[in-house]
Amino acid sequence: MYVELEKKENYAILTLNREKALNALNSEVLSEIREAIRELISDTKMRGVIITGKGEKAFCAGADITEMKGLNFDQAEEFARKGHKTMNMIAGSDLISIAAINGYALGGGLELALACDIRIASKNAKFGLPETGLGLIPGFGGTQRLPRIVGRGIALEIILTGDHIDSERALKIGLVNHVVELQELLPKAEEMMQKMLKYKGVEAQKVARWLVHSGSELPLTASLEREVNAFAEMFEKGEPEKGITAFLNKQKPEF
Ligand code: CAA
């Protein structure tokens, strides 16, 4: 198995387990990631996923370079679609996702991290989209997700130079939310996940996340209107009654 899935009470840790190839994404790894995400989506207790890589060297060194050698148009299209399907499944599901980046996050590995809601990195992490050096382009969403996170100028620098950037710079440009010691990485990711899942409206978290993700695809007036409607709809779902009543009674809300 290239993917390990450890379920906790209401979230899971998904670990890429192909350490010898620096957790590179071949078709099988991609398919196992989708299988694992599908399993979490179908388990109604599961509300979040932390994605990390086995070992101390790499989160994921990208799409499997050996698998891409000699592809024709149709095969390359199929490979890119597998990658997109996987990343879209993570970004488009209702699971809150945190990438816990424990080393190299290059090419498809960075694209996997970009498909997550939040990125936390260890100090030794290195990031980059080195595809053009292979005569390729980022093909698992990097040309679109990176500029939406760090802005167009920085994204173009990262894509066109192919440079590796360190965790300190990644923090400065907003590519990652936090940088911690390697041994603190999973504890930090789990602490954040638990905080996001405790005493928070389940539906409220889902809707807020959906508005943030889907809003960037719409003109501002349309996405603001969508927020108004979603806000109003929350009151028909019962969570505001619980949360507001608990606040007024000086209690912690249970959703
Ligand atoms: N695919 C397949 N195998 C990979 C790999 C990848 N992306 N990255 C590393 N490996 C393998 C190496 O071939 C090597 O295997 P062997 O032991 O069998 O020789 C093993 O992992 C260890 O790697 P290195 O010996 O190269 O380790 P290093 O410490 O010298 O270098 C590294 C580490 C800088 C990350 C280097 O491995 C590297 O540059 N890897 C490739 C990174 C890359 O270009 N990623 C982008 C891939 S293209 C892509 O992702 C396209 C897309 O968007 C869809």
Side-chain angles (χ1 to χ4, degrees), residues 18-22 24-25 57 61-66 68 79-80 104 106-109 111 129-131 134 136-141 164:
R18 199 186 171 212
E19 199 178 345
K20 277 193 183 141
L22 306 187
L25 302 169
K57 188 167 172 182
D64 191 300
I65 296 173
T66 54
M68 288 186 288
F79 190 59
Y104 287 112
L106 300 175
E111 291 168 304
L129 290 176
E131 284 92 338
L134 296 163
L136 300 169
I137 60 162
F140 289 173
H164 292 180

Side-chain angles (χ1 to χ4, degrees), residues 96-221:
I96 295 172
S97 51
I98 300 179
I101 302 164
N102 55 306
Y104 287 112
L106 300 175
L110 178 53
E111 291 168 304
L112 174 62
L114 292 170
C116 294
D117 297 333
I118 288 159
R119 284 153 293 284
I120 303 176
S122 56
K123 281 191 179 159
N124 66 320
K126 291 257 182 334
F127 305 82
L129 290 176
E131 284 92 338
T132 57
L134 296 163
L136 300 169
I137 60 162
F140 289 173
T143 64
Q144 301 311 305
R145 290 201 171 97
L146 185 63
R148 282 169 166 80
I149 291 168
V150 300
R152 195 180 290 185
I154 301 278
L156 279 167
E157 181 187 332
I158 290 171
I159 293 167
L160 298 179
T161 64
D163 281 351
H164 292 180
I165 65 172
D166 62 18
S167 54
E168 198 184 326
R169 175 131 200 263
L171 186 63
K172 270 193 196 135
I173 62 175
L175 178 56
V176 300
N177 298 42
H178 299 277
V179 175
V180 295
E181 296 292 343
L182 184 58
Q183 63 273 21
E184 286 305 312
L185 183 62
L186 270 183
K188 173 77 183 174
E190 289 199 69
E191 181 197 316
M192 189 186 283
M193 182 65 83
Q194 285 159 7
K195 189 183 240 183
M196 292 192 289
L197 297 181
K198 205 168 182 192
Y199 306 130
K200 307 285 190 299
V202 178
E203 197 61 30
Q205 298 281 66
K206 268 189 212 170
V207 174
R209 186 176 167 273
W210 171 72
L211 286 168
V212 170
H213 279 296
S214 66
S216 58
E217 287 159 23
L218 295 172
L220 184 61
T221 45

Side-chain angles (χ1 to χ4, degrees), residues 2 33 52 58 63 80 105-106 127 133 142 205 214 218 227 236 252:
Y2 287 136
I33 296 173
T52 193
L106 300 175
F127 305 82
Q205 298 281 66
S214 66
L218 295 172
E227 187 189 80
E236 295 187 331
K252 290 278 187 199

